[in-house]
Amino acid sequence: MKDSFIKKIIEAAGAAAVMTDEPMERHTTFRIGGPADLFVRPERTEQIIRILDLCRQEEVPYFLLGNGSNLLVSDAGYRGVILQLDQNFQACRQEAGKITAQSGLLLAKMASLAREASLTGLEFASGIPGTVGGAVAMNAGAYGGEMRDILQKVTVLTGDLEVRTLPAEELDLGYRHSRIMDENWIVLEAEFALEEGDPEEIRTRMEELRTERQTKQPLEYPSAGSTFKRPEGYFAGKLIMDAGLAGFSAGDAQVSEKHCGFVINRGCATAEDVYTLIEKVQERVQEQFGVLLEPEVRFLGF
Ligand SMILES: Cc1cc2nc3c(=O)[nH]c(=O)nc-3n(C[C@H](O)[C@H](O)[C@H](O)COP(=O)(O)OP(=O)(O)OC[C@H]3O[C@@H](n4cnc5c(N)ncnc54)[C@H](O)[C@@H]3O)c2cc1C
């Protein structure tokens, strides 16, 4: 990457917000990933616009990172700019049955703010370790709820670097899919409609779901959650278990014995290990059941 480009990015975002050769293993829940050429934490929307403009002018690729909880970054890392919207984009306001949050706010934090305000509707999301932006873009969901159930409108930065606010109906939200992903938009802020609820009931439900996750999911190991999407009419974890792949491994990456839908990092797994394991699992499940498992995890730098 050219020094002149790095200098311009520093001018746009400030030296404290820019890191070079930043190991991505520090920014993914898999704890895997080589260095990103530039890693930037902008503070304001105008800075994002300026940085994207520079990337376009100089034809440098960029990638928007939330909490890195659904991401496998290659061992070689990423040749381009990673923009992370996290601690600088966490403002949240609550009024009359609504919560409006900036994209970097963690879902767990937003769910506890809702509980404190006696608002129900976000319990399902309290254990998903993503940001508001990542969750809206992926239409994250769990235990019968998903973001589209409560999402009202979203403010995005479009490909033309325009800030637009769209109602949820225009976002084509489906299973782990949205128009935001298709169009490569950036979520800046989202508004959620919630209902008045009983704080004690909300707390109890969140605790039930936390216990459920702790019991059923291998939370003691780094992972990116469910590795595969749920195929129509099946459960990925069950297919993998029925294929005899519980505990199956490649290097230090392993199909969790606790929950076969999760690939875990047993300590020193490389991205190559995880990738190889994903391919082998796909092959074996396809051979035995004729079902193609589509990864839910997103790949970067491969
Ligand atoms: C232990 C564990 C349990 C999990 N359980 C669940 C679950 O129950 N349900 C579920 O749905 N997921 C689950 N996940 C996966 C993950 O937490 C979700 O997909 C989450 O929504 C990803 O958010 P993130 O901020 O970490 O996004 P990242 O992983 O950083 O990015 C994911 C994608 O979203 C895009 N993105 C991120 N921020 C923005 C933004 N502001 N604007 C536009 N695009 C953006 C990225 O470019 C990328 O394509 C789990 C993960 C783990 C590790």
Side-chain angles (χ1 to χ4, degrees):
M1 181 168 282
K2 286 195 248 160
D3 285 350
S4 56
F5 176 75
I6 299 177
K7 204 166 153 237
K8 285 180 197 163
I9 297 288
I10 290 175
E11 274 164 20
V18 181
M19 290 177 275
T20 51
D21 297 324
E22 177 64 10
M24 289 301 291
E25 64 184 17
R26 294 186 187 156
H27 304 283
T28 59
T29 54
F30 248 138
R31 301 283 165 252
I32 291 174
D37 286 346
L38 272 193
F39 188 96
V40 188
R41 286 195 173 113
E43 281 179 14
R44 297 184 302 280
T45 305
E46 309 84 75
Q47 291 178 333
I48 306 176
I49 295 175
R50 178 75 189 121
I51 293 164
L52 296 193
D53 200 27
L54 286 167
C55 287
R56 291 206 181 151
Q57 281 171 30
E58 311 226 1
E59 297 182 355
V60 174
Y62 63 86
F63 180 81
L64 210 287
L65 179 71
N67 197 38
S69 65
N70 200 41
L71 203 60
L72 180 67
V73 182
S74 82
D75 301 313
Y78 183 64
R79 304 289 73 80
V81 179
I82 301 277
L83 283 161
Q84 188 179 38
L85 304 190
D86 62 343
Q87 67 250 47
N88 298 325
F89 281 83
Q90 296 197 335
C92 181
R93 53 187 191 279
Q94 173 260 314
E95 51 183 321
K98 276 191 324 201
I99 285 196
T100 308
Q102 281 190 308
S103 59
L105 189 70
L106 287 173
L107 288 181
K109 179 82 182 140
M110 183 164 71
S112 22
L113 291 170
R115 188 197 62 220
E116 283 160 20
S118 306
L119 292 174
T120 179
L122 264 168
E123 293 86 333
F124 79 90
S126 57
I128 301 177
T131 59
V132 165
V136 167
M138 305 255 335
N139 186 27
Y143 303 110
E146 52 183 353
M147 299 312 283
R148 75 171 153 188
D149 299 340
I150 49 172
L151 189 64
Q152 290 297 290
K153 54 185 179 185
V154 177
T155 301
V156 294
L157 185 62
T158 67
D160 301 327
L161 303 184
E162 263 179 57
V163 175
R164 279 178 68 191
T165 300
L166 292 114
E169 304 80 68
E170 290 183 24
L171 296 175
D172 193 19
L173 293 156
Y175 175 60
R176 304 296 175 267
H177 166 268
S178 74
R179 183 177 169 199
I180 297 164
M181 292 213 127
D182 291 347
E183 309 247 11
N184 215 8
W185 289 343
I186 293 178
V187 176
L188 298 172
E189 189 177 89
E191 182 187 297
F192 302 94
L194 303 169
E195 283 176 16
E196 287 283 313
D198 174 51
E200 201 40 43
E201 279 175 24
I202 298 171
R203 195 181 56 76
T204 306
R205 181 65 184 144
M206 285 183 181
E207 270 170 21
E208 275 168 14
L209 294 182
R210 183 166 49 235
T211 307
E212 177 86 5
R213 277 186 192 268
Q214 279 164 352
T215 316
K216 304 244 167 87
Q217 300 182 357
L219 302 183
E220 57 281 21
Y221 288 101
S223 78
S226 298
T227 314
F228 301 99
K229 291 186 182 173
R230 194 178 55 239
E232 189 87 36
Y234 300 91
F235 289 100
K238 173 137 186 15
L239 287 172
I240 297 167
M241 190 172 69
D242 293 348
L245 295 172
F248 187 61
S249 54
D252 232 9
Q254 189 183 50
V255 172
S256 164
E257 289 176 288
K258 194 169 174 185
H259 187 319
C260 289
F262 282 55
V263 167
I264 56 169
N265 174 1
R266 288 179 49 87
C268 306
T270 61
E272 194 55 40
D273 292 339
V274 175
Y275 197 86
T276 305
L277 187 59
I278 288 175
E279 282 187 329
K280 287 194 173 152
V281 168
Q282 283 176 313
E283 255 170 51
R284 294 273 285 269
V285 168
Q286 172 100 54
E287 267 166 30
Q288 294 202 31
F289 304 109
V291 178
L292 177 65
L293 292 177
E294 191 191 332
E296 178 167 326
V297 171
R298 303 186 66 85
F299 300 98
L300 183 66
F302 283 84

